[in-house]
Amino acid sequence: MNPIKLQESLTDAIAHLDTPSDIPVVRKAYDNVKEVLRTYKSGVRKVLDDNSLLCIGVVGQMKAGKSSFLNSLLFDGDTVLPIAATPMTAGLTTLQYTTDKNILEICYYSKDDWEVIKNEANVYSELRSQLLEDNPLLKGKEKQIMAEMKKISTAAQQSSYELVENLTPEASVKIGQSPMRIEFEDINNLQSMMKDLVGARGKFTSVVSILHIFLNDKRLKGLRIVDTPGVNDPVVSREIRTLEFLHECHGVFMLSRAEHFFGDDDKRFMDERLSTVGISAILMIGSQFDTVLRNPQYVGRDLKSAVNDARKSLSGIFKSRRQMLRPETSSVFCACIFSSGMAKGVLIKLKKVSFDEQKADLDKDEAKFIEDLRGQYPSDFSDVTSTEKSLQLLADFESIEEVIINDFRKQKKTLILQKLTNYLKEQENVLNQVLNSACEKIKSELDFVNSTDLDQLKSQVTILSNATDSMVKPLKTTIESYAKKLEKRLIDIEQHDLQTVYVDCKKVKTSISSISYTRISTILSRKKNCSVCVDIINRESTKEEQEQAMEKYRITLDKKWRDMFIKFQEEMLQKMVEKTSQLESSLSNCTLTLANILDKTFNVELEGCETLKLADKHNEHIREMRNYVNDNIHTSFNNSFGKISESDADEKIHNQSKEKLDNIVKGLSSRDTAYMDDLKNIARNQKKEVISILNKFRGSIASSLEEGISSILEEKTSQLDNKQKTIDELQKGLERLTSIQIKYQ
């Protein structure tokens, strides 16, 4: 359901339950469900407010041409996104529009990441040494050694060895450092920086994990592109980060090389990765399409007929393989297009020089590409017109752009809303669970009223009153057993469920700011006014990220407690009825009455315990976090210096900036820990309260049973005196809940 319509629907559902009822079980059911509906509605509104960018991931096998495709599609062939030659140079790159200055943010491997890489590299080294020891004739024959090593080592070991072997002294000091942000003027400026960061012989290539490019280019407006390293990224830490970014993506371009189209690795990736992160649209691209057309089977054919045959054959593969995917994966394909990124790149370069191939800046691969095609399809590359048409046919970027416009850009809002809906499935599950529980209780009450008359009730009450003493021991045993289970289940939530939503500030969002300062020059001793650009906290982005993490933690804890408590209460009640009804045959005919007595007793005692009262403490911590982030101390610099050089003064400002950002991280981390502890303490105190209620009930179980029997007799007598009215009220309540249940299944 569209989240905007979902909000309206939730409002209607809440209003639908704002109806008074004389039946306690119906009143309580309405209250429980309305509370969940309000939380659900609040969550929908928040995630809608937090999303504006359409995030598109580019995925596929290593060397499927992902970066080349994007460079041709978005930047007229300019190498903005780095083209990877090996796993070492295949970084994760994000690309996003900015209205401010162009920024390149460089993220390095953490020390933990590098330790894993070193361990893998050491295993590779040991295997290599053993190989050379066993085969001394291989020494000096590097190509043969590499071929043999591929047979006996993993891809992770091979790539890790490459990273470690190519580690430069300049790069080694970057491991574990915070991300670095650099301004750049234009694409040429960016390209020159890229050589050192992701080039095959770059100084820092070994240690660069992720690149974030913020570009003032209107072609990117409203978009965020995530260019991933590859379907089977051998660098484990980088693959984990890729999956984190894919969680943010609304749609993907899935590139698969036409020569090995839609293989098992592609299928596995889509079923095991894409279908689990809520991707709403997949554009399948058979990349490097020209390689298929150079097969001998097309010799003597004209290019157009060869292209048609190849597309038909590959489309058949797509259709059959698509049927093998999981339904949730298969259903989100919007198109399958076969394209040659090389053809697009060559076409762009030739157009710039009016198709003068001598003047075109073609590299050796591009020159070979055009030479091979002209050799096989001479009439289709005989002049400017035929060459342009043939390259357009091979590239087919018009079809790709049409899909992007119609299925991505025009559907941007829909894709974002679909993605948000996927994130709200957890809340939907909570709602259905509460609805199921509420409906079951009303059905049980209906069963009781339908199957019992006043004389039967009085008879059953007499039987239960006479059996009170014999029921005490098994009830006490059951309560004691379930009190221990409640303790263990809360520990399980803390040790397992909450670890996946851990609130932990490791870095803050930053912006570039120009800091003015004064100094006394070291030569003429004159006062100088200077400025330097440094990173300072981006308050709004930092607060937003912290709030999202804190809200997710609150919602998860609340949901897990509610799930556990409802299940715990229902299991305990069922076990109590089962234990006591086994005592003697006459009690087995009183199970519905007994269930009503025990349920009523517990509902009175445990009223409201299924919900954790987290809101006040959560809001208190949110306020404290906002005040802390807004504190001017984070952006107030000591900017007046005595006699000092400009470079030394700049360094002092930079050092202050780094110290301030480090302090913010420490401050927020401390607050995160306190926040999580406070919320967990609320759950622990609630658990103690529940156990205290159970122990109190266990200690006074005989008198509690007598009170429960007396109370249920009074309540049910009133209902059975006007049996039809009671049945009508129960059925009406069940119908209202069932209509909501059907709507959100």
Side-chain angles (χ1 to χ4, degrees):
M1 188 184 293
N2 180 302
I4 292 175
K5 290 183 179 178
L6 177 59
Q7 278 188 296
E8 296 170 359
S9 170
L10 291 167
T11 302
D12 291 343
I14 293 167
H16 194 53
L17 298 180
D18 277 336
T19 305
S21 175
D22 295 331
I23 311 296
V25 70
V26 175
R27 277 200 311 272
K28 183 172 176 60
Y30 283 179
D31 289 343
N32 285 344
V33 173
K34 279 193 294 185
E35 186 178 345
V36 176
L37 286 168
R38 290 190 187 104
T39 303
Y40 195 177
K41 181 182 171 184
S42 171
V44 175
R45 184 170 59 249
K46 180 164 182 60
V47 291
L48 275 174
D49 292 341
D50 289 343
N51 283 269
S52 59
L53 287 177
L54 176 64
C55 189
I56 298 174
V58 184
V59 298
Q61 300 283 343
M62 197 80 73
K63 296 184 181 179
K66 298 181 295 296
S67 300
S68 299
F69 162 74
L70 278 175
N71 286 330
S72 295
L73 182 69
L74 297 172
F75 303 109
D76 295 332
D78 288 334
T79 310
V80 175
L81 294 169
I83 297 170
T86 69
M88 183 182 79
T89 58
L92 174 68
T93 307
T94 71
L95 192 64
Q96 189 171 322
Y97 174 69
T98 179
T99 55
D100 209 342
K101 295 175 181 177
N102 298 324
I103 296 288
L104 173 64
E105 181 177 283
I106 308 153
C107 302
Y108 303 104
Y109 287 117
S110 69
K111 289 183 179 178
D112 288 342
D113 289 341
W114 193 254
E115 196 60 36
V116 173
I117 290 168
K118 272 175 59 181
N119 290 339
E120 293 285 357
N122 288 338
V123 173
Y124 185 93
S125 294
E126 291 170 8
L127 290 170
R128 181 185 167 97
S129 297
Q130 189 63 51
L131 175 68
L132 293 176
E133 188 178 321
D134 295 341
N135 302 275
L137 294 177
L138 284 176
K139 287 182 181 177
K141 300 174 182 177
E142 199 57 36
K143 284 187 178 179
Q144 290 183 40
I145 293 171
M146 288 177 67
E148 290 299 317
M149 286 302 296
K150 282 184 179 180
K151 299 175 185 176
I152 61 173
S153 60
T154 66
Q157 291 159 1
Q158 293 157 23
S159 59
S160 297
Y161 180 76
E162 184 183 6
L163 290 171
V164 173
E165 282 293 294
N166 287 278
L167 181 67
T168 63
E170 296 94 334
S172 62
V173 299
K174 299 289 186 183
I175 296 169
Q177 283 194 7
S178 298
M180 177 184 290
R181 292 168 69 89
I182 305 172
E183 283 183 22
F184 63 91
E185 291 181 14
D186 53 30
I187 298 302
N188 290 333
N189 190 208
L190 174 62
Q191 288 170 333
S192 63
M193 289 191 289
M194 289 289 199
K195 290 177 183 176
D196 270 346
L197 298 172
V198 291
R201 295 182 180 82
K203 287 181 186 177
F204 305 105
T205 302
S206 284
V207 295
V208 173
S209 170
I210 304 172
L211 293 175
H212 299 293
I213 302 172
F214 300 90
L215 199 60
N216 192 335
D217 186 322
K218 289 185 179 177
R219 288 174 292 189
L220 289 170
K221 202 165 185 178
L223 292 177
R224 187 184 194 199
I225 305 291
V226 179
D227 184 23
T228 67
V231 165
N232 293 323
D233 189 359
V235 182
V236 177
S237 62
R238 197 169 58 195
E239 185 185 31
I240 292 169
R241 287 176 179 80
T242 296
L243 288 175
E244 289 172 357
F245 277 104
L246 283 176
H247 269 282
E248 300 174 12
C249 290
H250 304 96
V252 298
F253 301 153
M254 177 76 197
L255 272 68
S256 180
R257 283 177 291 172
E259 271 195 308
H260 307 286
F261 185 59
F262 212 155
D264 287 340
D265 284 340
D266 292 334
K267 176 183 174 296
R268 194 177 303 112
F269 177 78
M270 284 188 278
D271 262 348
E272 295 179 5
R273 294 287 192 267
L274 295 187
S275 67
T276 62
V277 295
I279 297 298
S280 305
I282 301 174
L283 168 57
M284 189 80 175
I285 298 174
S287 62
Q288 301 173 12
F289 184 49
D290 56 277
T291 56
V292 172
L293 298 167
R294 284 183 261 179
N295 288 342
Q297 71 190 81
Y298 297 117
V299 172
R301 303 275 294 277
D302 65 277
L303 184 64
K304 188 174 181 180
S305 68
V307 165
N308 288 338
D309 278 2
R311 282 179 181 165
K312 186 177 179 181
S313 174
L314 291 170
S315 295
I317 294 172
F318 172 71
K319 186 177 180 181
S320 62
R321 297 290 284 176
R322 180 178 178 178
Q323 292 174 349
M324 298 165 66
L325 293 169
R326 293 167 61 181
E328 54 267 45
T329 311
S330 178
S331 63
V332 295
F333 279 103
C334 51
C336 177
I337 296 169
F338 303 100
S339 169
S340 167
M342 180 78 78
K344 180 66 174 178
V346 170
L347 179 60
I348 290 168
K349 289 185 177 182
L350 288 176
K351 275 187 172 182
K352 288 178 181 177
V353 293
S354 302
F355 284 83
D356 186 337
E357 291 180 30
Q358 298 301 317
K359 293 181 181 178
D361 185 25
L362 301 180
D363 62 33
K364 64 178 184 179
D365 290 331
E366 291 168 333
K368 180 80 164 53
F369 162 83
I370 200 82
E371 181 186 335
D372 287 349
L373 285 172
R374 181 170 285 127
Q376 187 160 343
Y377 304 99
S379 62
D380 294 291
F381 292 88
S382 58
D383 54 30
V384 170
T385 303
S386 62
T387 298
E388 182 175 3
K389 283 184 178 178
S390 296
L391 291 174
Q392 286 174 342
L393 179 66
L394 288 172
D396 200 16
F397 267 47
E398 291 80 5
S399 296
I400 293 171
E401 286 165 357
E402 189 178 328
V403 170
I404 292 169
I405 290 168
N406 292 325
D407 293 88
F408 283 84
R409 284 191 182 274
K410 284 186 179 177
Q411 298 297 320
K412 172 185 171 182
K413 199 169 187 178
T414 303
L415 290 175
I416 289 174
L417 296 181
Q418 285 174 351
K419 177 70 177 183
L420 296 179
T421 303
N422 292 334
Y423 278 120
L424 292 168
K425 281 214 181 276
E426 283 296 310
Q427 192 60 47
E428 188 177 306
N429 291 337
V430 174
L431 176 59
N432 277 309
Q433 185 178 22
V434 173
L435 280 165
N436 287 336
S437 176
C439 288
E440 286 303 316
K441 286 182 183 296
I442 293 178
K443 285 176 186 175
S444 177
E445 191 78 356
L446 262 173
D447 287 344
F448 173 82
V449 175
N450 277 318
S451 63
T452 310
D453 59 30
L454 202 52
D455 290 337
Q456 282 177 304
L457 175 65
K458 289 176 179 177
S459 171
Q460 289 179 15
V461 163
T462 302
I463 293 169
L464 290 170
S465 297
N466 294 334
T468 297
D469 291 341
S470 61
M471 288 193 291
V472 166
K473 187 176 179 180
L475 288 175
K476 280 186 174 182
T477 304
T478 303
I479 292 170
E480 189 174 0
S481 166
Y482 273 83
K484 290 176 183 176
K485 285 183 180 180
L486 182 67
E487 181 97 31
K488 183 178 182 304
R489 287 178 184 182
L490 181 59
I491 292 171
D492 287 343
I493 288 174
E494 290 187 14
Q495 291 182 347
H496 298 103
D497 301 295
L498 294 183
Q499 293 306 311
T500 61
V501 289
Y502 196 77
V503 188
D504 187 18
C505 180
K506 291 183 178 175
K507 63 179 181 180
V508 299
K509 297 292 184 181
T510 60
S511 300
I512 304 293
S513 180
S514 179
I515 306 297
S516 299
Y517 65 86
T518 60
R519 68 181 181 90
I520 306 299
S521 70
T522 55
I523 299 175
L524 300 176
S525 298
R526 290 179 180 172
K527 188 175 182 179
K528 293 272 190 179
N529 293 319
C530 307
S531 65
V532 62
C533 288
V534 297
D535 283 341
I536 64 167
I537 183 172
N538 183 321
R539 287 192 171 93
E540 294 310 311
S541 295
T542 299
K543 285 187 290 187
E544 182 182 356
E545 189 169 272
Q546 281 285 298
E547 284 185 35
Q548 286 177 351
M550 293 165 76
E551 177 70 2
K552 187 174 182 181
Y553 189 88
R554 181 191 70 80
I555 288 172
T556 302
L557 177 57
D558 187 57
K559 175 187 180 303
K560 293 296 179 183
W561 168 272
R562 186 192 299 274
D563 288 353
M564 175 204 60
F565 183 84
I566 291 173
K567 186 178 178 183
F568 155 81
Q569 197 173 2
E570 288 175 351
E571 283 180 1
M572 183 170 63
L573 180 63
Q574 186 179 349
K575 181 59 74 172
M576 283 178 159
V577 174
E578 181 187 314
K579 281 250 185 189
T580 52
S581 63
Q582 290 172 350
L583 291 172
E584 49 188 89
S585 58
S586 60
L587 287 176
S588 62
N589 297 320
C590 306
T591 53
L592 281 174
T593 305
L594 179 59
N596 269 284
I597 292 167
L598 293 172
D599 191 36
K600 184 177 176 62
T601 306
F602 275 112
N603 279 336
V604 170
E605 297 290 341
L606 296 172
E607 182 72 38
C609 287
E610 69 269 20
T611 302
L612 294 175
K613 295 173 179 63
L614 302 173
D616 288 346
K617 186 60 69 175
H618 170 77
N619 291 333
E620 177 189 324
H621 278 275
I622 290 285
R623 284 194 298 272
E624 289 178 0
M625 180 274 294
R626 285 175 180 162
N627 291 337
Y628 175 72
V629 173
N630 287 335
D631 196 324
N632 286 331
I633 194 173
H634 302 316
T635 52
S636 299
F637 287 76
N638 175 16
N639 57 358
S640 182
F641 304 111
K643 189 175 285 189
I644 189 172
S645 69
E646 185 173 355
S647 61
D648 286 346
D650 285 354
E651 185 178 357
K652 281 183 177 291
I653 297 290
H654 276 292
N655 287 340
Q656 286 183 63
S657 166
K658 184 178 183 306
E659 184 180 358
K660 286 179 182 297
L661 292 174
D662 287 345
N663 287 339
I664 294 167
V665 170
K666 289 175 186 174
L668 287 174
S669 294
S670 174
R671 280 166 171 75
D672 290 341
T673 301
Y675 169 75
M676 291 185 291
D677 284 345
D678 278 356
L679 262 59
K680 282 190 283 192
N681 280 334
I682 290 172
R684 290 168 188 150
N685 289 335
Q686 189 109 312
K687 175 210 68 181
K688 289 177 185 175
E689 183 184 346
V690 172
I691 291 175
S692 173
I693 291 169
L694 293 178
N695 287 337
K696 181 182 174 185
F697 182 66
R698 190 165 61 94
S700 60
I701 200 159
S703 59
S704 294
L705 275 175
E706 287 174 9
E707 287 176 17
I709 290 168
S710 174
S711 174
I712 210 76
L713 178 61
E714 183 181 340
E715 180 186 308
K716 299 305 176 190
T717 298
S718 172
Q719 291 176 7
L720 291 172
D721 273 342
N722 199 340
K723 190 168 183 175
Q724 192 54 51
K725 182 184 175 184
T726 301
I727 290 172
D728 290 345
E729 278 286 311
L730 288 169
Q731 285 178 334
K732 191 184 296 180
L734 186 60
E735 284 167 9
R736 286 178 186 273
L737 294 176
T738 303
S739 67
I740 295 172
Q741 196 174 30
I742 291 169
K743 190 180 292 185
Y744 297 107
Q745 277 180 342

